[in-house]
Amino acid sequence: MDLNQIYAPVSADLIKVDAAIRAVSEVNFPWLAEMLSHSLAVGGKRIRPALTLLSGQFYHYQFEYLMHMATAIELMHTATLIHDDAIDKSDMRRGRYTIYKLWGVDPAILLGDYLFAKAGVESSETRNVRTIRLFSQTLMTISRGELNQAINSFNIHQNRDDYIQRIFGKTASLFFLSTESGAVLSEAPEEKIQTLKDYGHDLGLAFQIVDDILDFIGTEKELGKPAGSDLAQGTLTLPAFLLNERYPQDNPVKRLFEDRKATENIKLAIEQVRNSSIVKECYNVAREYCDNAIRNIKTMPDTSSRQALIDLADFVVQRNR
């Protein structure tokens, strides 16, 4: 099942959200309009806006407010990617040149700041203090996670708890902001708000783990960037953790982190992970998070949105990009 089928319960409204996101580039400053158009032109999977709308369908579906929140969350996500690319000095994203590559570090950081501000304005249009607060708290969580990742770059002395905490800040926090805010705006009971938040948390962790697997097993065409990009930036992900645990005395990841100029170890690490059971073990971890997400969501009312969220959890562990 592809995403278009999964998104069917909210497909018409998701088109409107997409239009609202693209409309952000309609400004009176040509250079800003060009940068915004470039950054917002390739929409990606739109998982976060879809999660917001789907989570808002269980009780009182108030699309006007949900649209603003879904737009805010996707703008926040785009801003984090622009900042990530500038910090990591990444040339490619989704098969296109990054803002950093085309315009430089300073314009990329400022564009990200602009999108964060615009996202904040969109979140305020929900007229719901709780969701506005959730938006700000998530921005703090993401910033803390990015600082944590930067500080621990090329630090081999990390454990799996450090990893889970990092990907919570990097990815899962935005997923559960999507599901929690959707539930809040639909006036769901507190118990069900927590259920949807838990679903988003587990789905987000699984999504990032699969992303980290694909960084080892995907092709540049599939990923839209070179394989091994995380390792090149000194980021220790789950496959790299398992490789380091399996060969603690000597392995390509350890050698790279001790001498980051020895980039031949990136290719060696990729080959070693691909030719072992590590990929399967990582998928098993992601599958456990998705199974937990599905168990949570099955306690929600039996609707087409519930089935869509179940199907989305299955999609997350089957995707190849």
Side-chain angles (χ1 to χ4, degrees):
M1 181 174 288
D2 64 24
L3 284 177
N4 288 332
Q5 293 172 296
I6 294 171
Y7 294 165
V10 294
S11 58
D13 286 342
L14 201 55
I15 291 172
K16 296 175 186 176
V17 172
D18 197 63
I21 292 167
R22 293 174 188 272
V24 172
S25 64
E26 296 171 5
V27 295
N28 292 326
F29 301 95
W31 51 269
L32 177 58
E34 184 181 2
M35 294 173 71
L36 287 168
S37 180
H38 182 84
S39 62
L40 298 171
V42 181
K45 302 175 184 65
R46 295 292 198 239
I47 284 181
R48 295 155 193 84
L51 283 171
T52 308
L53 299 185
L54 289 168
S55 299
Q57 276 201 334
F58 286 100
Y59 295 95
H60 301 106
Y61 186 65
Q62 303 183 76
F63 174 66
E64 178 186 354
Y65 298 136
L66 288 164
M67 180 184 72
H68 286 299
M69 197 66 197
T71 301
I73 292 170
E74 189 66 8
L75 293 178
M76 183 196 283
H77 172 56
T78 303
T80 64
L81 298 182
I82 293 170
H83 277 182
D84 282 353
D85 292 337
I87 292 167
D88 297 339
K89 295 181 170 53
S90 299
D91 292 344
M92 302 296 293
R93 167 77 66 176
R94 294 170 178 164
R96 307 176 80 216
Y97 285 123
T98 61
I99 296 293
Y100 153 77
K101 176 67 174 177
L102 294 174
W103 282 277
V105 173
D106 291 347
I109 295 297
L110 291 169
L111 183 68
D113 291 346
Y114 179 92
L115 285 173
F116 279 133
K118 178 60 177 175
V121 171
E122 287 292 329
S123 73
S124 72
E125 294 293 338
T126 64
R127 302 178 186 177
N128 185 295
V129 173
R130 183 170 176 179
T131 57
I132 296 168
R133 183 183 297 115
L134 287 172
F135 177 91
S136 297
Q137 289 171 337
T138 303
L139 183 51
M140 288 191 295
T141 299
I142 291 170
S143 299
R144 186 168 60 240
E146 290 298 332
L147 282 168
N148 182 31
Q149 180 168 309
I151 290 168
N152 284 292
S153 178
F154 290 98
N155 175 14
I156 198 70
H157 303 293
Q158 301 177 62
N159 57 44
R160 293 199 205 184
D161 287 341
D162 296 327
Y163 168 71
I164 294 299
Q165 185 179 24
R166 189 173 73 243
I167 67 172
F168 162 76
K170 181 177 182 179
T171 302
S173 60
L174 262 177
F175 273 63
F176 83 64
L177 171 63
S178 302
T179 54
E180 184 178 7
S181 63
V184 169
L185 291 171
S186 73
E187 301 174 6
E190 284 299 324
E191 177 188 356
K192 299 306 182 183
I193 292 174
Q194 185 62 49
T195 296
L196 283 161
K197 178 180 178 180
D198 291 341
Y199 168 89
H201 173 272
D202 290 335
L203 186 73
L205 291 178
F207 186 92
Q208 187 57 52
I209 290 169
V210 173
D211 249 14
D212 294 342
I213 297 168
L214 294 176
D215 192 52
F216 277 84
I217 68 172
T219 65
E220 184 168 352
K221 182 178 180 180
E222 291 170 338
L223 300 174
K225 59 183 180 180
S229 294
D230 290 328
L231 273 182
Q233 299 299 331
T235 302
L236 206 54
T237 59
L238 188 57
F241 268 115
L242 296 185
L243 184 61
N244 193 48
E245 288 177 359
R246 188 166 294 185
Y247 306 102
Q249 300 304 316
D250 181 54
N251 64 75
V253 174
K254 186 176 181 180
R255 293 196 295 271
L256 174 68
F257 279 35
E258 290 172 348
D259 179 9
R260 62 188 69 182
K261 292 181 180 179
T263 55
E264 68 276 3
N265 284 301
I266 297 173
K267 182 179 179 181
L268 293 173
I270 290 172
E271 291 176 353
Q272 205 162 342
V273 166
R274 287 178 176 178
N275 296 325
S276 71
S277 63
I278 288 174
V279 171
K280 182 178 179 180
E281 291 172 33
C282 291
Y283 269 115
N284 287 341
V285 174
R287 181 75 259 180
E288 287 176 11
Y289 279 113
C290 281
D291 287 346
N292 196 44
I294 290 171
R295 279 193 296 272
N296 277 321
I297 211 65
K298 282 186 175 179
T299 66
M300 297 296 293
D302 188 2
T303 66
S304 59
S305 291
R306 188 182 81 168
Q307 187 58 51
L309 292 173
I310 291 170
D311 293 339
L312 186 56
D314 286 329
F315 169 86
V316 161
V317 290
Q318 295 170 8
R319 66 194 178 93
N320 62 2
R321 64 182 66 188

